Amino acid sequence: MAAKFGKVRVAMVVLLASLALVACRREPAEQRLRAAVQELQTAIEARDSDAVEDVLAADFIGPEGLDRQGARRLAAAMFLRHGDVGANLGPLDIELKGANAVVRFPAVVRGGELLSGSGGAYDVETGWREESGEWRLYRAQWTPVL
């Protein structure tokens, strides 16, 4: 009987160890970064300025000194002002540098003056940093495509 309980204990230990390994396995950095970019795009499409802010690092900086709170306020204002707000992103060019990354992509913006000017096409360059296992956007700049 004791041998039976010993085998059960060993099986439980193996099962728990296997579950722990599966739980600790992380997706590759690039995959998690792509998911963070998608999370930001989804927040914009959902018109959720709080979710937009959640993707931004505390020290986020954009054009003309735009900070994290300013970006949230700008998003909220655009969501109130325009019924259809969104961005279609082109292919992502990802350059991983350890816990930092640069992501470049073309974007077509709809719904008014989300970035600058009156919407349209932009070349976008963003800086991302991994913080506590989550990618956070800490820098963004965009240039209108003529």
Side-chain angles (χ1 to χ4, degrees), residues 29-30 33-34 37 93-104 125-130 135-139:
E30 183 175 334
L33 180 55
R34 286 181 183 278
V37 172
D93 175 22
I94 297 176
E95 184 181 339
L96 290 170
K97 300 174 182 180
N100 291 305
V102 175
V103 180
R104 295 175 190 89
E125 181 175 305
T126 57
W128 294 78
R129 176 175 55 235
E130 199 168 16
W135 285 102
R136 297 285 178 239
L137 178 63
Y138 71 88
R139 173 181 63 77

Side-chain angles (χ1 to χ4, degrees), residues 43-44 47-49 52 74-83 85 114:
I44 292 169
R47 304 165 53 86
D48 186 343
S49 58
V52 169
L74 176 62
M78 291 300 109
F79 298 155
L80 287 172
R81 184 173 177 196
H82 301 283
V85 175
L114 249 187

